[in-house]
C-alpha cells in the first residue's frame, strides 16, 4: 500500500506544468514572453550558455519561433520530458528577468538589453512607401495618356472614313474639295439631311444608304433665308418649317436623284 502511494505521488508531482499558450509583448528596449500554464509553476531557470536558458518543471509539446523587427529571434522547444529550452538569438548578450503571477499560473520572462530602434527607420520606410506610390501614380498617368491618344487616333480614323463615304455619296461634281459641309441632321442610321455650300450656292441633300436626293438648291436670289442660320439649332428649325409643307415634300420627291 505504501509503495502504491509513492508511485501515485510520483505521477502527480513528477511532471511539471504544461504550457497552454505563449504570448509576446514587445516594446522599444525589451520583450516580455508570457507562458500560460495549466498548473502553478514550481520550476527554476538555469543558464546553459550565452542567451540560452533551461526552464525546469514545465513541458511544451511543440517548437515555436518568433522573430522581431529589432533582430531578436526567440525559439522555444522541449529540452527533455520535464523542461523546456528558451533560446534567444541576438548579436549581443542579453539579460532576462523572470516573475510569476499571483497564483503561479503565469510565468513571465522579460528580455532586457535590446538595442533601441532608430526613429529614422519608420521615416525611411514611410519615405520609401511615398516613392513607390509616386512611381505607381506616374505609371498610371502614362498609361492613361497613352489610352487617350489611342482613342483620339481611333476617332480621327472613324471621322475620315465617314467623310470618305459622304464624298462617295455626293454627285461627281461635288466630290471635289470646293464644297463646304455646313450642317447635317441624321434621320435614322442610314439616312441624313445635309446642307452644303458650293461656289456661293447652297444645296439641301438627302443622303441615304442606297440613293441620294437633291431636295432643294438655294441660288443667289432665294438663299436670303439661310443667312441667319449660324448654328445647328437654326438648321433644325429650317427643316421643321420646310417639312411641315406637304407641297415641299412632294416637290422634293420629284427632284433629281443621284445613284
Amino acid at each position: 500500500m505504501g509503495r502504491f502511494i509513492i508511485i501515485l505521488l510520483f505521477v502527480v508531482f513528477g511532471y511539471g506544468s504544461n504550457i497552454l499558450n505563449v504570448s509576446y509583448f514587445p516594446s522599444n528596449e525589451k520583450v516580455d514572453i508570457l507562458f500560460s500554464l495549466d498548473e502553478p509553476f514550481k520550476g527554476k531557470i538555469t543558464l546553459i550558455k550565452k542567451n540560452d536558458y533551461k526552464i525546469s518543471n514545465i513541458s511544451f509539446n511543440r517548437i515555436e519561433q518568433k522573430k522581431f523587427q529589432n533582430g531578436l529571434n526567440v525559439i522555444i522547444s522541449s529540452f527533455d520530458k520535464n523542461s523546456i529550452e528558451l533560446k534567444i538569438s541576438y548579436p549581443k548578450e542579453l539579460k532576462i528577468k523572470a516573475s510569476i503571477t499571483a497564483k503561479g499560473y503565469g510565468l513571465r520572462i522579460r528580455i532586457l538589453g535590446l538595442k533601441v530602434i532608430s526613429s529614422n527607420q519608420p521615416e525611411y520606410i514611410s519615405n520609401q512607401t511615398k516613392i513607390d506610390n509616386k512611381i505607381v501614380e506616374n505609371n498610371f498617368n502614362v498609361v492613361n495618356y497613352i489610352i487617350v491618344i489611342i482613342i483620339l487616333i481611333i476617332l480621327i480614323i472613324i471621322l475620315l472614313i465617314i467623310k470618305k463615304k459622304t464624298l462617295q455619296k455626293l454627285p461627281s461634281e461635288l466630290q471635289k474639295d470646293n464644297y463646304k459641309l455646313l450642317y447635317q441632321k441624321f434621320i435614322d442610321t442610314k439616312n441624313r439631311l445635309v446642307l452644303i455650300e458650293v461656289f456661293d450656292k447652297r444645296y439641301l441633300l438627302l443622303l441615304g444608304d442606297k440613293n441620294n436626293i437633291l431636295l432643294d438648291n438655294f441660288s443667289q436670289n432665294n438663299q436670303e433665308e439661310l443667312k441667319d442660320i449660324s448654328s445647328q439649332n437654326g438648321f433644325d428649325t429650317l427643316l421643321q418649317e420646310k417639312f411641315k409643307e406637304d407641297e415641299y415634300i412632294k416637290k422634293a420627291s420629284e427632284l433629281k436623284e443621284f445613284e
Side-chain angles (χ1 to χ4, degrees):
M1 183 65 180
R3 183 177 298 178
F4 175 77
I5 294 175
I6 294 174
I7 295 174
L8 180 61
L9 290 175
F10 178 77
V11 172
V12 174
F13 298 103
Y15 294 94
S17 306
N18 293 312
I19 297 177
L20 302 177
N21 185 45
V22 182
S23 302
Y24 301 90
F25 304 94
S27 62
N28 202 15
E29 298 181 1
K30 63 181 184 297
V31 172
D32 286 347
I33 305 174
L34 179 62
F35 297 96
S36 298
L37 311 174
D38 61 348
E39 295 289 340
F41 177 69
K42 297 180 180 179
K44 63 179 182 178
I45 302 175
T46 306
L47 177 64
I48 302 175
K49 57 183 179 179
K50 176 184 175 181
N51 294 338
D52 196 355
Y53 299 87
K54 173 185 175 183
I55 305 176
S56 62
N57 202 25
I58 193 171
S59 60
F60 197 45
N61 57 2
R62 68 178 187 272
I63 299 176
E64 181 165 312
Q65 182 177 9
K66 181 70 174 179
K67 294 183 178 180
F68 299 89
Q69 293 182 353
N70 54 14
L72 179 67
N73 185 20
V74 175
I75 301 176
I76 304 171
S77 61
S78 176
F79 188 82
D80 53 36
K81 292 182 179 181
N82 199 30
S83 60
I84 65 171
E85 180 181 7
L86 175 62
K87 188 173 184 180
I88 303 171
S89 177
Y90 197 70
K92 69 173 186 177
E93 186 174 1
L94 302 174
K95 296 180 180 180
I96 68 170
K97 183 178 180 181
S99 60
I100 59 175
T101 57
K103 295 184 179 181
Y105 287 92
L107 171 64
R108 186 191 69 182
I109 304 295
R110 174 166 292 179
I111 304 174
L112 302 170
L114 299 174
K115 183 179 179 181
V116 179
I117 300 177
S118 175
S119 59
N120 295 330
Q121 182 66 18
E123 184 68 22
Y124 168 76
I125 296 175
S126 177
N127 291 337
Q128 186 65 37
T129 303
K130 291 179 181 179
I131 293 173
D132 294 340
N133 292 337
K134 188 67 176 178
I135 293 174
V136 172
E137 182 180 354
N138 291 337
N139 291 338
F140 181 76
N141 291 336
V142 171
V143 172
N144 284 345
Y145 178 78
I146 295 175
I147 292 175
V148 171
I149 294 298
I150 293 175
I151 292 175
L152 289 176
I153 293 174
I154 293 174
L155 290 176
I156 292 174
I157 293 175
I158 293 174
L159 291 175
L160 291 176
I161 294 174
I162 293 175
K163 181 179 179 181
K164 183 178 180 181
K165 290 186 177 181
T166 302
L167 287 175
Q168 291 176 351
K169 292 179 181 293
L170 292 175
S172 57
E173 62 269 19
L174 300 180
Q175 290 185 11
K176 300 177 182 179
D177 292 337
N178 53 9
Y179 84 96
K180 181 180 180 181
L181 177 62
L182 300 178
Y183 305 103
Q184 63 177 339
K185 181 178 180 63
F186 284 89
I187 301 175
D188 51 37
T189 56
K190 296 183 179 180
N191 299 282
R192 58 177 170 163
L193 293 167
V194 298
L195 181 65
I196 62 173
E197 185 178 56
V198 182
F199 299 119
D200 296 329
K201 291 185 179 181
R202 297 185 179 183
Y203 299 88
L204 182 63
L205 302 174
L206 173 64
L207 302 181
D209 185 35
K210 296 182 179 179
N211 51 55
N212 307 307
I213 299 176
L214 175 63
L215 298 178
D216 205 347
N217 61 83
F218 304 90
S219 61
Q220 188 69 27
N221 295 329
N222 63 346
Q223 64 175 339
E224 293 295 330
E225 56 184 317
L226 299 180
K227 290 184 178 180
D228 296 332
I229 300 176
S230 59
S231 65
Q232 182 66 37
N233 291 333
F235 179 63
D236 295 341
T237 301
L238 172 68
L239 293 179
Q240 291 176 2
E241 293 176 355
K242 288 292 185 181
F243 282 94
K244 284 181 181 178
E245 305 174 7
D246 292 339
E247 293 298 328
Y248 181 83
I249 297 175
K250 291 179 181 179
K251 177 184 175 183
S253 63
E254 295 173 356
L255 292 176
K256 182 179 180 180
E257 179 176 321
F258 301 98
E259 296 294 343

